[in-house]
Amino acid sequence: MKALVAVKRVIDYNVKVRVKADNSGVDLSNTKMSINPFCEIAVEEAVRLKEAGVVDEVIVASIGPKEAQEQIRAALALGADRGILVQTDEKAYPLQVAKILKGIAEQEGTDVILLGKQAIDDDNNQTGQMLAALMGIGQGTFASEVKVEGDKVNVTREIDGGLQTVALPLPAVITTDLRLNEPRYAKLPNIMKAKKKPLDEKTPADFGVEMVSKQEIVKVTPPAERSAGVKVGSVDELIDKLKNEAKVL
Amino acid sequence: MAILVYAEHDNAELKKATLSTVTAATQMGDDVHVLVAGSGCKPVAEQAAKVAGVSKVICVDSPAYEYQLAENVSLLVKDLAGDYSHIVAPATTNGKNFMPRVAALLDVSMITDVMQVIDANTFERPIYAGNALATVKTSEDKVLVTVRTTAFDAAAAEGGSASIEELDNAQDAGKSSFVGEELAKSDRPELTSAEIVVSGGRALANGENFTKYIEPLADKLGAAIGASRAAVDAGYVPNDMQVGQTGKIVAPSLYIAAGISGAIQHLAGMKDSKVIVAINNDPEAPIATVADYFLEADLFDALPELTSKL
């Protein structure tokens, strides 16, 4: 059984983002980039499935600029077997990414397709669901537990109000939530070995996909600043302020 | 063309998230229809028909929709899409689960978590965990959006008189089946729609302290209880109480953060609250930058005092 994991190169989650002065976007020059944290959890889960003997091969795919190679190499260092970079300098919208991933999944004949539930840059939370729809297969989104049993997979999902478990026939798409696992750190020897693992380069055109969207970001602005608050010295003062100044009690 | 709103419900009750979604939909166009898909969901359709601003309710009652499985629901919504210019759902886990699937079936892009409707094709939404706001314009024939329910006032639950059309359209894609669920029981208001939220963080140190210090205050205020990711990961409380980018987004009139440092991931989930109170013994904690009132104190002293004096 083969697993496909999609990883996205995004701004590191510890970096405080700055909106560009001309409101054209967020300033990404000279900022630290990493694997999207949810994608890292997806890689970890695929590697664990391999270690459990469920999966034979883990393929990592990324769609993005040439530099996204770094994120694929990082995933290879965590235990994935080979990488595919679909290189494009255009902004990658979820529908187009889903179409490319469908091309890869069909070409490779993968049974388990793992993605993060959302990327922390665009916060869309769409790609996995779109991919499942395009392939006409089941989806287990926001997964906190994944159990492959024969030709089906049981996915426990984090929903509003609790947990829900669904059973999906394979192939299926699974998107990871934070609590699915704790990703391991790459060890130095594995980082060295990852440099020798195969990494194919493709373009969106190889999959017949054009990177154009009918959606367009007109402008990006910083959120309204909250006005500075005040320090209160005691519980009595706090209650008084809430009652008489803020009038929320 | 009309606008279709997907109703959030539990087969017995229409959720408040639907009311906020109706408000957002009325800002996109005039003729708002509500789709109630479920099993034994007629009471929900009757509630939806009374919502102000709704002109028609479509009720599809079938066991295939009992658990809102995305594979089945998306086929139903796709079937209905022909009559609508806009399809709108709340950005709940359910809405986020099936809507992108509908979009892909229709071969259109979609827009997640809309906070403001600028015009029928232009929307504002948060990106980078709410650290930036993007104005997004779409030129798709069908506009598909999920809306952040805390950003829109709830439509009046009474006063409307929509017609109810029962539709027979049972779609079972056969790609998924429901195995079971574990829902957290709570008598308190729902976190995402509560007027007041009291949240605890890692400083509570254990689950018993949530019961001992946070719950009495929440009960006194009629508030919902939230938690930071640190408190959830440490196992103090179940994860459906998590407020943050990866948990629930709340915007109550009063948010009390006790023993929460205020990591970016947490702030993304609560910084649109009207008034924020932080109780923390560290005056340098990042929560101080967003708090309207900051009480530098040990929460184990301050919370009981606050509870007794209210």
Side-chain angles (χ1 to χ4, degrees):
Chain A
M1 201 185 278
K2 280 192 201 177
L4 173 67
V5 187
V7 300
K8 187 176 187 185
R9 174 185 170 87
V10 298
I11 191 167
D12 189 89
Y13 71 98
N14 286 314
V15 175
K16 182 139 179 60
V17 301
R18 270 174 318 165
V19 173
K20 286 186 199 167
D22 64 357
N23 295 125
S24 62
V26 161
D27 192 356
L28 293 178
S29 54
N30 302 318
T31 47
K32 187 181 174 207
M33 304 294 277
S34 303
I35 298 188
N36 176 47
F38 292 102
C39 302
E40 216 173 353
I41 294 170
V43 173
E44 174 67 29
E45 195 64 19
V47 172
R48 287 186 191 191
L49 287 172
K50 192 183 168 193
E51 287 167 349
V54 175
V55 161
D56 311 309
E57 189 183 28
V58 177
I59 304 162
V60 177
S62 191
I63 294 128
K66 185 118 190 125
E67 294 79 15
Q69 276 194 13
E70 296 163 19
Q71 278 63 46
I72 296 179
R73 291 283 175 210
L76 295 175
L78 294 175
D81 296 292
R82 61 189 168 93
I84 299 171
L85 171 65
V86 181
Q87 202 198 317
T88 172
D89 291 322
E90 302 291 322
K91 179 166 174 59
Y93 284 92
L95 185 60
Q96 285 67 38
V97 171
K99 286 178 179 176
I100 294 172
L101 290 174
K102 173 178 186 259
I104 297 175
E106 286 176 351
Q107 213 165 60
E108 299 285 348
T110 47
D111 305 289
V112 184
I113 307 164
L114 289 148
L115 296 87
K117 79 163 175 182
Q118 71 186 63
I120 60 163
D121 51 0
D122 290 334
D123 286 336
N124 276 321
N125 197 332
Q126 298 175 6
T127 308
Q129 294 90 312
M130 288 179 160
L131 173 60
L134 294 173
M135 294 184 71
I137 60 178
Q139 66 184 50
T141 51
F142 323 130
S144 63
E145 197 180 353
V146 173
K147 277 191 193 149
V148 178
E149 287 163 3
D151 56 0
K152 72 174 177 75
V153 59
N154 273 8
V155 180
T156 301
R157 311 175 50 233
E158 296 195 6
I159 59 169
D160 295 333
L163 299 170
Q164 179 194 66
T165 304
V166 293
L168 313 167
L170 293 173
V173 171
I174 297 163
T175 74
T176 62
D177 214 321
L178 268 180
R179 266 163 295 271
L180 180 58
N181 60 47
E182 193 142 336
R184 68 195 70 188
Y185 289 98
K187 296 198 179 87
L188 187 60
N190 292 345
I191 295 173
M192 302 308 289
K193 276 185 214 152
K195 291 185 180 166
K196 296 206 177 75
K197 290 185 179 175
L199 200 168
D200 283 348
E201 286 198 25
K202 306 260 188 190
T203 64
D206 293 339
F207 302 96
V209 177
E210 276 188 68
M211 297 303 280
V212 288
S213 177
K214 287 192 175 173
Q215 201 182 101
E216 163 200 14
I217 295 179
V218 183
K219 66 172 178 182
V220 174
T221 52
E225 293 276 332
R226 286 191 79 95
S227 51
V230 294
K231 264 201 177 140
V232 291
S234 68
V235 168
D236 291 317
E237 192 185 342
L238 177 63
I239 293 173
D240 176 65
K241 295 262 191 201
L242 289 177
K243 280 193 172 145
N244 303 317
E245 196 176 277
K247 296 190 182 7
V248 285
L249 287 183
Chain B
M1 269 202 284
I3 295 182
L4 186 66
V5 168
Y6 189 88
E8 179 92 4
H9 63 87
D10 58 5
N11 291 317
E13 208 179 316
L14 189 72
K15 299 278 181 181
K16 200 182 156 199
T18 314
L19 302 178
S20 312
T21 311
V22 166
T23 302
T26 53
Q27 294 173 11
M28 299 171 206
D30 296 327
D31 198 7
V32 175
H33 299 182
V34 172
L35 169 62
V36 176
S39 179
C41 59
K42 295 212 171 69
V44 181
E46 281 157 20
Q47 292 162 38
K50 289 186 198 139
V51 175
V54 176
S55 61
K56 184 167 125 181
V57 174
I58 302 167
C59 178
V60 193
D61 195 338
S62 159
Y65 306 126
E66 183 170 5
Y67 299 104
Q68 314 279 340
L69 295 174
E71 294 79 358
N72 300 350
V73 166
S74 57
L75 291 176
L76 167 67
V77 178
K78 183 201 164 211
D79 274 357
L80 296 173
D83 297 333
Y84 297 95
S85 62
H86 291 63
I87 303 173
V88 189
T92 52
T93 49
N94 187 31
K96 286 179 172 172
N97 190 31
F98 81 88
M99 278 290 274
R101 204 167 165 109
V102 176
L105 293 174
L106 295 168
D107 195 24
V108 299
S109 58
M110 73 158 282
I111 302 171
T112 301
D113 232 357
V114 163
M115 288 179 78
Q116 200 192 328
V117 178
I118 292 165
D119 62 41
N121 298 89
T122 317
F123 308 93
E124 189 175 79
R125 62 176 299 265
I127 54 175
Y128 293 91
N131 288 302
L133 299 172
T135 304
V136 185
K137 190 175 167 65
T138 174
S139 52
E140 300 280 9
D141 299 334
K142 298 244 175 276
V143 179
L144 268 65
V145 300
T146 56
V147 302
R148 177 172 287 196
T149 53
T150 56
F152 296 91
D153 294 334
E158 298 287 333
S161 55
S163 57
I164 299 179
E165 180 193 327
E166 290 194 27
L167 191 70
D168 193 10
N169 182 330
Q171 297 265 10
D172 192 340
K175 297 292 178 193
S176 59
S177 53
F178 174 83
V179 178
E181 67 187 355
E182 252 179 78
L183 299 179
K185 297 253 178 299
S186 173
D187 299 330
R188 294 198 179 78
E190 210 191 347
L191 188 52
T192 47
S193 57
E195 275 296 297
I196 302 179
V197 173
V198 183
S199 274
R202 198 200 300 270
L204 266 297
N206 57 48
E208 291 80 70
N209 284 341
F210 258 84
T211 317
K212 197 168 152 195
Y213 292 93
I214 301 283
E215 282 185 16
L217 178 59
D219 288 342
K220 197 98 176 217
L221 293 167
I225 297 183
S228 69
R229 191 181 156 203
V232 169
D233 283 352
Y236 304 165
V237 289
N239 62 34
D240 56 305
M241 282 164 64
Q242 183 185 324
V243 172
Q245 186 196 9
T246 57
K248 300 222 167 103
I249 312 278
V250 301
S253 18
L254 174 59
Y255 188 89
I256 302 178
I260 293 177
S261 66
I264 297 179
Q265 114 86 26
H266 186 74
L267 299 185
M270 47 64 84
K271 69 179 160 49
D272 293 322
S273 305
K274 193 166 152 243
V275 174
I276 298 173
V277 170
I279 302 173
N280 207 302
N281 56 13
D282 176 10
E284 304 296 321
I287 192 86
T289 62
V290 300
D292 299 281
Y293 302 107
F294 185 91
L295 176 62
E296 185 185 340
D298 185 343
L299 62 92
F300 297 115
D301 300 329
L303 288 179
E305 190 185 343
L306 185 57
T307 308
S308 67
K309 285 184 173 162
L310 281 170

